[in-house]
Amino acid sequence: MAKRDYYEVLGVSRGASEEAVRKAFRKMAMEFHPDRNKTPQAEGKFKEVNEAYQVLIDSQKRAEYDRFGHEGVGAGGGRDFDGFDGFGGFGDIFDSFFGDMGGRGQHRGAQRGADVQYGMRLAFEEAVFGTDREADLTRVERCHICNGSGSKLGTSPKTCGTCRGVGKVRRSQKSVFGQFSQVTSCPTCRGKGSVIEAPCDNCQGAGTERRNRKIVVKIPAGVEDGMQIRLTSEGDVGANGGPSGNLYIHVSVDVHSLFRREGQDLIYEIPLNLAQATLGDEVEVPTLNGNETLRIPPGTQPGAVFRLKGKGVPQVNGHRRGDLVVPVMVQVPTSLNVHQQQLLEELAKTMEKPNESAARDKGLFDKIKDAFS
C-alpha cells in the first residue's frame, strides 16, 4: 500500500518551519493518541503521524525525503514503532507534554478534610430567640495516641530515602520531542516525604481515627426551617497537614400551635363575634413575649388586618424584628337561644337589607332595564 505524503499527513506545507511541524504533530498526537481516542483506527493514525514527524523534524532525513521521497529515508521512514510501550515510554512523555490525562503522577500533598453534615431539630421558640444546642457527632480526627504522626510512641517517621523528604521525584526521558523531565509523586512514600517504620497500634499508621464528639452549637435568633449553619474547620481533619473540613448544621423547626411564620412576621388569626366586630372591643392577643391588648374599632369588617410592631421574629444576625400580623375572622353563630333570636329579629327590623340598598343605588339605565324585564 502506497504511503501518504508526510507533509499531507501532518497538514503542513513543504516550506514549513520546525516549529510548525512540531505544532502540527502535537495537535495530531493529541487527537489520535490511544489514551484519548478509543476508535480502532486511532493507533494506525498515530503511527502514521509519528513516522511523518520523525522524518520532517530531522533536517537530514527531511532533505533526503524532499529529494528522493519515501525511498530516500527507507521503508520505515525512521525508527521502528513497536507499540506504545516500545516508544521510549511515550505514555509518560505524552502526559508530561500535554498534561496528565489518566490521573497518573499526581502529588499527594496537603488535602482538605471532608465536610460533616448534621441535622438538628429546634422548637419554634428556640428558632425565634436563638439558643445553644449540643451536637453529638462522629468525625475524623488526628489519632489521640500518635497525634497524627502514624508512628508508635517513642518513634517517628523517617525521611524517605528516595525523595529525601520532598515527596516528589523527577524522571528524565528521551522522546521525539527531545529530553523531557517529569515530576511525579514519590513511589516509596506516596508523596508524604516520610516513611513509617513502626506504625501506631491505634491508627495502624494512618494518623487519623473516627471519634465521637459533643460540640456546642450557637443557634442565632431568627433561623428558619431548612436553614444551614456552617461551623468552619469543625469537620474531618485534613490529610498531610491540610485544613479541616466544615461542619454543616441543617435546621428543622417544629410547627407552633398558635402562630404561623412568614419570613420575619408571625401570623395569628383572631376570631370575633358579630357584636365585637360591630360595636368594637378590646381583646387579649397572645405573643411570644406574653399577651398584648388589641383595640378592635367599631364596624370592623371580616378580613381586616391589625399589626403589632416588633412582636415577630428577629432578623438573623441583624437588629430588625418583624411584626405580629393579626387578621380578623368574624364568626357567624350557628345556633341561638330564644332570647338571642328575638333580639336579632328586632335588630333586623331596624336595619336595611343589603340587597335593598344595592337596588336603590342602581343607575337610571339599570332601572329602565328592570322595568322592561
Side-chain angles (χ1 to χ4, degrees), residues 303-335:
V305 177
F306 299 94
R307 188 177 290 266
L308 297 180
K309 293 289 186 180
K311 298 300 180 180
V313 181
Q315 183 181 17
V316 178
N317 298 323
H319 302 290
R320 182 184 176 278
R321 186 171 176 178
D323 303 329
L324 177 64
V325 180
V326 186
V328 167
M329 297 187 304
V330 178
Q331 294 182 335
V332 178
T334 57
S335 61

Side-chain angles (χ1 to χ4, degrees), residues 132-242:
D132 289 342
R133 288 284 298 274
E134 197 174 67
D136 191 356
L137 54 91
T138 302
R139 67 182 181 185
V140 177
E141 298 183 356
R142 288 187 179 86
C143 174
H144 73 286
I145 300 296
C146 65
N147 196 29
S149 70
S151 297
K152 280 186 177 182
L153 291 178
T155 68
S156 59
K158 303 295 183 182
T159 301
C160 177
T162 302
C163 65
R164 297 182 181 179
V166 178
K168 297 179 287 187
V169 293
R170 183 184 297 275
R171 293 188 296 172
S172 297
Q173 207 161 16
K174 291 182 179 180
S175 76
V176 293
F177 301 112
Q179 183 85 7
F180 283 93
S181 294
Q182 183 183 26
V183 177
T184 63
S185 294
C186 175
T188 303
C189 66
R190 297 186 178 182
K192 293 183 177 180
S194 60
V195 178
I196 298 174
E197 296 180 340
C200 170
D201 293 330
N202 182 56
C203 65
Q204 284 75 50
T208 59
E209 61 178 335
R210 297 194 70 84
R211 301 197 68 184
N212 295 327
R213 284 291 180 192
K214 292 184 183 296
I215 297 177
V216 176
V217 181
K218 186 173 183 62
I219 305 296
V223 296
E224 293 187 64
D225 185 78
M227 271 191 173
Q228 180 176 270
I229 301 171
R230 182 183 67 188
L231 277 68
T232 304
S233 300
E234 291 290 350
D236 289 348
V237 69
N240 300 328

Side-chain angles (χ1 to χ4, degrees), residues 24-268:
F25 173 66
R26 292 173 184 169
K27 181 180 178 181
M28 304 287 282
M30 177 76 77
E31 181 179 356
F32 295 113
H33 191 281
D35 280 357
R36 296 173 61 89
N37 192 328
K38 302 301 183 182
T39 60
Q41 300 84 7
E43 183 172 348
K45 288 278 189 181
F46 188 83
K47 289 180 180 180
E48 185 180 41
V49 168
N50 170 63
E51 181 180 313
Y53 173 76
Q54 289 189 64
V55 171
L56 299 186
I57 202 64
D58 186 302
S59 58
Q60 182 178 349
K61 291 180 181 179
R62 182 173 179 176
E64 293 175 353
Y65 176 74
D66 289 341
R67 187 175 182 182
F68 303 108
H70 291 291
E71 291 77 9
V73 292
R79 69 182 261 193
D80 292 335
F81 185 88
D82 184 21
F84 295 96
D85 290 336
F87 191 44
F90 190 83
D92 290 337
I93 299 302
F94 192 85
D95 286 346
S96 67
F97 196 88
F98 294 108
D100 184 6
M101 297 182 301
R104 299 185 294 268
Q106 294 181 347
H107 175 52
R108 296 181 60 189
Q111 299 175 10
R112 181 180 177 274
D115 295 329
V116 175
Q117 314 292 329
Y118 186 88
M120 181 175 289
R121 192 164 196 86
L122 302 175
F124 193 88
E125 288 81 358
E126 289 179 316
V128 171
F129 297 114
T131 186
D132 289 342
R133 288 284 298 274
E134 197 174 67
D136 191 356
L137 54 91
T138 302
R139 67 182 181 185
V140 177
E141 298 183 356
R142 288 187 179 86
C143 174
H144 73 286
I145 300 296
C146 65
N147 196 29
S149 70
S151 297
K152 280 186 177 182
L153 291 178
T155 68
S156 59
K158 303 295 183 182
T159 301
C160 177
T162 302
C163 65
R164 297 182 181 179
V166 178
K168 297 179 287 187
V169 293
R170 183 184 297 275
R171 293 188 296 172
S172 297
Q173 207 161 16
K174 291 182 179 180
S175 76
V176 293
F177 301 112
Q179 183 85 7
F180 283 93
S181 294
Q182 183 183 26
V183 177
T184 63
S185 294
C186 175
T188 303
C189 66
R190 297 186 178 182
K192 293 183 177 180
S194 60
V195 178
I196 298 174
E197 296 180 340
C200 170
D201 293 330
N202 182 56
C203 65
Q204 284 75 50
T208 59
E209 61 178 335
R210 297 194 70 84
R211 301 197 68 184
N212 295 327
R213 284 291 180 192
K214 292 184 183 296
I215 297 177
V216 176
V217 181
K218 186 173 183 62
I219 305 296
V223 296
E224 293 187 64
D225 185 78
M227 271 191 173
Q228 180 176 270
I229 301 171
R230 182 183 67 188
L231 277 68
T232 304
S233 300
E234 291 290 350
D236 289 348
V237 69
N240 300 328
S244 296
N246 299 325
L247 170 62
Y248 289 93
I249 306 293
H250 298 272
V251 173
S252 58
V253 181
D254 290 336
V255 176
H256 199 276
S257 60
L258 297 177
F259 305 112
R260 184 177 80 254
R261 180 172 175 175
E262 292 185 0
Q264 290 178 246
D265 291 337
L266 293 179
I267 313 298
Y268 174 73

